[in-house]
Each structure stands twice: as C-alpha cells, then as structure tokens.
Amino acid sequence: MIVSIASGKGGTGKTTVAVNLALAATSVEDDILFLDCDVEEPNAHIFLKPKIVEKSKVSRLVPSINKAKCTYCGKCIEVCRYHALAIISTVKSKKDRKILFFSHLCHSCAACIILCPQNAIEESKEEVGTIKQGLVGPIRFIGGILNTGQASSTPLIRQVKAKIKNEKLVIIDAPPGTSCPMVASVMGSDFCILVTEPTPFGLHDLILAIETVKKLHIPFGVIINRSDVGKDIVEDYCLKENIPLLMKIPFERRIATAYSKGRTIVNESLEYKRKFTALYEHIKEITK
Amino acid sequence: MKQLAIISGKGGVGKTIITASLAYLAEKAVIVDCDVDAANLHLILNPNVLEKIPFKGRQKASIDRRLCIRCGKCVGVCRFGAISYEKSYLDQKSILINPFLCEGCGLCSYICPQGAIKLEEEVSGAIFISESRLGPLIYARLEPGEENSGKLVSLTKEKAKLLAEKINYNLLIIDSAAGIGCPVIASLIGVDCAIAITEPTPSGLHDVNRAIDLARHLNIQNIKLVINKYDLNIKMSERIEKYCKENNIELAGRIRFDRAVIKSIIEGKTLLECKDFKDKNEILNIWTIIQNNLQATQKICSL
C-alpha cells in the first residue's frame, strides 16, 4: 500500500504526519519504505534521523552537440518546445556558428536527439541531485535532495519513486503546492492524506489540493493540524463535502517545542502513538 | 523600478502575512503574488478583480484513434512514460496518453507515421489584475495538477512591471512560493533585495539556507532575514542569528509567536491592521531597514 502525504499549503505539518505515521506503523508492519519526495526542501531526515548507508548522484539526460557532425540545419531548434536550443551565427563567417543550449529550459524529452537528421546530438548527463538511502529500525528511508539552481524537481522525484519495490507500506512525504512536483509525488498512491490548518489560507489551498487528487482518482482524507487555533471552517467544509476527517491535532506548545528540537510526537506521547497507529489501521481499512 | 521578494524555502513560516504587512507600509508599490500553486495574498487584501487574463501554458498530446494503427512507436520514445498500451473493451490494445505525465514536448507527434498525434494548447490558469485597499495586486492561479508554473510566474511579474510603469509606481513587492524550484527561480530573477523568512526549527533553518543559496546562485547579494515566532525556541533562534553572522546576512527583525496572527488571517487583515498583534514596531523596523536599503542601492545606481 502506498500512502502519500500532501497539503497544498506549505508548513501545515506534512512531514510531521508522514514521520509519525511511519514510526507508529512499525508496531504493525515490518516492511516499511519512507520516501522523502519534497526534494526542494527535504526535512523528514531531521526527525527520522536515519543511518545513511548509501548516497548516489542522480542525473538527467541533456543534449550534447557533436560539432563535427552538425550542419546547423536548425531542426533541433524547430522541434524544441521549451526553447532550450538556439543558433547564433554571424553573416561573415560560417565558422562562428554555434548552437546554444539553455539547461534550465530543457525538459529532457530527447526530441532534439532523436529528430536530428545528422545524428549529431548525443545524450549526455547533467547532475540534478542526490538520493540518500538509510535505515531507521524497520523503516527503509530514501530521500532526494535537489541541487540548488535546478528548476525542475520531477526527474529526481521520479527516480526516488523508482525505488519502490513491493513493500507492505510505502509512505511518501510530498512537496507542497498542486503543480507538477506534487502530482509526480502522489501519483500512483492508494491513499492520500491532505494535511491542513483551520485558517482561510489552509482551507483555500486544501480545496485546490482536493481538486488535484480527485483528478488523479486517488482516495483521500484530511488531517487538521493546530486544529484549535483557528475556526471550524475546514471541519465544516469536510462535513459538507462528505470528506473523511482522519484526525485533529490541536496546537500544543509541547508539540511545537518538540518539533523545534527535531523530536517526533509519537516518541513524546503515548497517546499520539496510539492515535497514529489507529490512523494507519483506519487507512488500511478504507483502502481495502 | 525596484523589486523586493519575500522567500522562505519552508512553507507556512509567514511569508504571505508578512508580505501583506510590508505592502501596508509601502507607498506606490505593486503587490505581486507569485505563489501561483496556492496564492493566498488575495484572501488578506480582498481585492476587486479588474481583469482576468487566461494563461495558455499547457500543451498536451492528444491522439486521433481513427488514424492510430497502434504501432507503438510513440510509446517507445516518450521519456515521461506518458504513453502506454491499455486494453480496451474489445480486448484490442489501444494507446492512451496520460495528461498528468505528458509534458507537451511533441516528440510523439513527430515520430507518429500516421500523423495521429497532435499537440493541443489549453488554458491552464489565469492572471488577475486587481485593485485592493493596499494598492494594485497582481496574482495568478494555476489550475490544480498543471505544470509550467515558472512560466506563469514570469508572465505575472511581467504584467506587474507593465502596470507599475504605466501608473508610475517604483516598487514591486513579490510574495514567492515555498521551495527552491522553477516558480521560486522565476520569482527571484531581477530582484534587488530578497527577504528570507524563517522560524526557529531545524527544518526552518535547513530550508531557508537552501533558499538563500538559490538567491545567491542567481546573483542576488542583498539578502535580509526575518525570524518569525522566534520565542518558540530561543536556542534555535540564536543558532539562526549565528548563521546570519557567519554568512554575512543582515538580521532585519524578530517577530514573537502570537496567536493574533491567525486571528488577523481569519479576519483578512494585515498584522498592522490587527488590534491584538504585539510586534507592530518590529514590522515597522523591518520596513525601515528595507526602505533605507532600497534607497541606498538607488543612489549607487544613479551615481
């Protein structure tokens, strides 16, 4: 079973829920994989503190032009939808001609490589980030870290997700938002937990996240974090729309302080350990 | 024209509410919400929308089944795994394109021997030009699940710049998205000063450090930091202050944890309009620091 944790709005407690759910599930499952797909700002390792056993660089495909073969016909520029290639030339001398490549615009689609009539473009690699693998008790941890300046995180997210085998439980900590990185992370999940807070910001972004998971046909439920600091707008919305409200986590300075020290709730409170275990059992039940 | 961007790396640390409060103090500023995935500024500013401009960022492959001979060439070339065989009800394999995986590169349309695949442009979001009590607000909305948010951010900023020039305003205040990916890069390009907001948690520091690295990578040297909810963990706040010193970043302010912040969001007010908010002076100080800084860089430019 793959359970992803997403939110729309950032900072609502995705990582907190993902980490605590994984730790609580260890009392039920012994084959758990935790994926940190928030590769722009990965945080789960701060709380899980896995022992890293392997680090590997991840790269993506980019074109490399073989100048000896290139006839400057301009086909590659014509086919690139992302305007990642351009040709410069001076009228005076043909020697000055050059194909320019803008890496940050490239989507690694390989159209230029495949469609070049001269076969003058080869596949080369560009490093996009790192994947760390580690262990925390029975949990296998895999997290992606995007290199600074890389525009697109989806190639890295795809490679993190490619590590899924057929574990009993896979927990995916997704990035915030509702665009491609979030979609790439939650796609293929059996269930998605949407974490929000009871404020107009939280509700507004929750509705967008719900639209997204509905489009992807993923069953979902909602957790309200800091549930007592705002109003009941999110709860009312869930009731009205018939959306399962999975859990409410009230604001407690104790929880906030534990978080700010990199500690987890389930290790601080037996009550929450029970709650998160029950949450896992509940999700297992719904997805049956 | 000057551009001021508010970044954070980590989400939910207070970018939007602080942006709104700075906008309250700014004169002749165009406010730009570049968090196109989850724009929230309009919930505080409650603006009147004057114009809605559709955004055509999406190109997706679509297949004409009458022409398709199911040769599978497109399945083999697609690097996004967006094209696959699917068993249809007649037990005959048909070819399906997953719109969520398709990135619109068009390679399949070139490869298809039957000319059965075409790229179609669709509206995938909108830019809103609006007027609020704090000045003009330009914001955008990307349809859920869509891509190309960087392009939408660039267009949104472009619209804001044009408007500012037209009405002779000299500052853009930009609320950026969380993270360090394409929408944040697009928000930061051309910025004169970046304000990084963080909170005293390990993830807050970890993420703001990555956001600051990105700003520097984009050649923005003028970076200031604000610690929000700093009293939630004084030790961690001290660590962040030390980080500022070591990395030559000016600490522009420290805001205490205050339940009035949630109240102000619920009431749709900026922190300065919220009666119960305690650290109004701190926001004023932050604004003075920013203002002096922007004026100083102005002088250097005019010299």
Side-chain angles (χ1 to χ4, degrees):
Chain A
M1 180 171 68
I2 303 174
V3 180
S4 55
I5 293 93
S7 75
K9 177 166 160 44
T12 53
K14 275 180 304 299
T15 303
T16 303
V17 169
V19 163
N20 286 289
L21 181 65
L23 291 173
T26 56
S27 59
V28 191
E29 305 290 359
D30 50 14
D31 186 16
I32 302 173
L33 174 63
F34 188 103
L35 299 182
D36 193 347
C37 284
D38 188 358
V39 300
E40 290 179 43
E41 299 293 12
N43 288 149
H45 65 280
I46 295 173
F47 302 95
L48 281 175
K49 303 179 178 71
K51 194 173 166 234
I52 300 299
V53 291
E54 200 192 317
K55 267 191 200 178
S56 49
K57 297 278 180 218
V58 172
S59 56
R60 65 170 186 141
L61 164 158
V62 286
S64 142
I65 291 146
N66 183 333
K67 280 183 196 151
K69 285 189 186 169
C70 179
T71 59
Y72 302 92
C73 70
K75 184 77 181 171
C76 54
I77 292 144
E78 176 200 321
V79 300
C80 179
R81 300 259 169 181
Y82 311 111
H83 310 291
L85 291 161
I87 192 164
I88 48 164
S89 62
T90 51
V91 192
K92 280 183 193 161
S93 158
K94 281 190 171 179
K95 275 183 194 161
D96 290 340
R97 286 180 307 187
K98 210 174 165 187
I99 305 270
L100 292 179
F101 171 61
F102 306 103
S103 152
H104 64 287
L105 295 172
C106 174
H107 281 226
S108 308
C109 72
C112 56
I113 298 170
I114 293 168
L115 299 171
C116 172
Q118 306 301 324
N119 271 327
I121 311 182
E122 284 146 25
E123 282 191 21
S124 91
K125 281 178 175 176
E126 180 186 83
E127 192 190 305
V128 290
T130 309
I131 291 182
K132 278 188 189 172
Q133 306 200 43
L135 290 167
V136 209
I139 304 171
R140 204 154 67 89
F141 170 90
I142 296 175
I145 305 145
L146 189 71
N147 284 358
T148 312
Q150 272 293 328
S152 173
S153 54
T154 41
L156 179 54
I157 294 171
R158 277 193 214 111
Q159 296 199 40
V160 171
K161 286 184 75 179
K163 306 275 182 196
I164 299 176
K165 286 171 191 155
N166 45 2
E167 290 84 1
K168 277 241 179 68
L169 172 64
V170 180
I171 290 180
I172 296 177
D173 190 2
T178 56
S179 60
C180 27
M182 180 265 196
V183 171
S185 303
V186 303
M187 201 181 296
S189 302
D190 298 294
F191 192 83
C192 184
I193 301 175
L194 299 172
V195 187
T196 190
E197 58 181 36
T199 64
F201 289 1
L203 178 61
H204 176 266
D205 299 348
L206 172 69
I207 294 170
L208 296 174
I210 289 175
E211 267 185 65
T212 313
V213 290
K214 274 189 177 165
K215 276 190 186 171
L216 296 167
H217 304 290
I218 302 170
F220 64 95
V222 169
I223 290 183
I224 307 179
N225 193 13
R226 301 185 274 264
S227 57
D228 52 339
V229 295
K231 280 192 168 167
D232 296 333
I233 45 174
V234 174
E235 206 173 338
D236 293 346
Y237 176 81
C238 290
L239 271 174
K240 199 182 92 205
E241 298 289 321
N242 223 348
I243 294 161
L245 181 59
L246 303 166
M247 192 194 265
K248 293 204 275 182
I249 308 171
F251 179 83
E252 272 180 53
R253 225 181 153 99
R254 187 172 60 122
I255 297 179
T257 311
Y259 177 88
S260 77
K261 288 178 180 160
R263 292 205 208 112
T264 59
I265 321 177
V266 292
N267 286 336
E268 293 279 307
S269 145
L270 200 61
E271 180 202 343
Y272 273 102
K273 191 168 185 185
R274 278 197 211 105
K275 277 190 183 170
F276 274 100
T277 314
L279 171 69
Y280 173 58
E281 300 279 10
H282 180 58
I283 293 169
K284 232 163 93 177
E285 203 53 43
I286 320 179
T287 49
K288 242 180 201 168
Chain B
M1 189 186 315
K2 293 281 160 186
Q3 295 189 28
L4 172 72
I6 289 84
I7 55 171
S8 71
K10 179 165 162 50
V13 296
K15 266 187 312 297
T16 300
I17 191 69
I18 292 172
T19 306
S21 305
L22 296 176
Y24 179 86
L25 294 168
E27 277 168 36
K28 287 198 163 189
V30 172
I31 310 154
V32 201
D33 194 340
C34 284
D35 189 357
V36 299
D37 271 29
N40 286 151
L41 255 180
H42 64 285
L43 299 173
I44 297 290
L45 270 55
N46 197 21
N48 274 328
V49 175
L50 305 173
E51 194 188 348
K52 180 181 172 182
I53 305 158
F55 169 63
K56 285 184 184 160
R58 169 191 161 119
Q59 281 202 332
K60 303 261 153 158
S62 84
I63 196 161
D64 186 339
R65 279 165 203 251
R66 290 166 306 181
L67 295 174
C68 174
I69 52 164
R70 295 179 279 276
C71 68
K73 285 198 169 124
C74 53
V75 179
V77 296
C78 178
R79 299 273 172 160
F80 308 108
I83 315 178
S84 58
Y85 282 110
E86 204 79 7
K87 270 197 176 166
S88 76
Y89 59 101
L90 289 170
D91 210 38
Q92 212 181 15
K93 276 181 176 176
S94 66
I95 285 175
L96 270 185
I97 299 175
N98 183 335
F100 288 105
L101 292 172
C102 175
E103 295 193 13
C105 72
L107 179 55
C108 52
S109 71
Y110 282 106
I111 287 292
C112 177
Q114 293 297 106
I117 304 178
K118 295 233 153 34
L119 280 208
E120 283 171 2
E121 198 167 63
E122 280 174 47
V123 172
S124 62
I127 298 173
F128 300 87
I129 314 264
S130 70
E131 184 59 48
S132 78
R133 65 182 187 283
L134 307 183
L137 168 70
I138 318 290
Y139 63 103
R141 182 180 163 170
L142 192 70
E143 292 291 326
E146 289 294 343
E147 58 179 85
N148 240 331
S149 50
K151 192 173 164 192
L152 180 55
V153 168
S154 303
L155 282 172
T156 307
K157 275 181 72 177
E158 208 46 53
K159 293 280 172 208
K161 267 189 249 170
L162 285 175
L163 178 71
E165 276 164 18
K166 202 172 128 195
I167 57 176
N168 210 6
Y169 276 22
N170 47 23
L171 179 64
L172 297 188
I173 300 183
I174 300 157
D175 187 12
S176 98
I180 57 164
C182 56
V184 186
I185 293 173
S187 304
L188 280 172
I189 285 173
V191 159
D192 300 278
C193 175
I195 310 292
I197 316 280
T198 192
E199 58 177 30
T201 61
S203 14
L205 176 57
H206 175 269
D207 295 358
V208 85
N209 178 31
R210 280 169 69 79
I212 288 171
D213 268 355
L214 175 68
R216 290 197 161 149
H217 183 85
L218 298 171
N219 253 326
I220 300 166
Q221 299 306 333
N222 191 2
I223 303 164
K224 320 232 165 286
L225 189 137
V226 171
I227 309 176
N228 193 14
K229 310 178 221 179
Y230 87 91
D231 54 336
L232 274 184
N233 185 338
I234 301 278
K235 262 201 183 140
M236 196 67 211
S237 287
E238 283 165 359
R239 250 181 80 188
I240 295 172
E241 285 172 30
K242 200 172 148 223
Y243 161 84
C244 285
K245 270 190 204 126
E246 285 167 1
N247 291 279
N248 212 1
I249 298 158
E250 183 181 358
L251 180 71
R254 301 183 306 178
I255 301 165
R256 278 176 289 175
F257 174 77
D258 192 339
R259 279 181 187 250
V261 174
I262 302 280
K263 215 178 136 199
S264 80
I265 293 171
I266 289 169
E267 289 171 357
K269 289 177 179 168
T270 67
L271 297 173
L272 296 158
E273 293 164 301
C274 175
K275 189 166 89 254
D276 301 333
F277 178 68
K278 288 180 287 211
D279 278 341
K280 290 197 180 74
N281 274 332
E282 196 63 16
I283 305 269
L284 287 169
N285 281 341
I286 295 168
W287 181 242
T288 312
I289 290 173
I290 295 170
Q291 236 183 344
N292 290 342
N293 183 277
L294 288 176
Q295 272 163 10
T297 49
Q298 191 102 37
K299 268 179 207 151
I300 294 166
C301 290
S302 60
L303 274 175

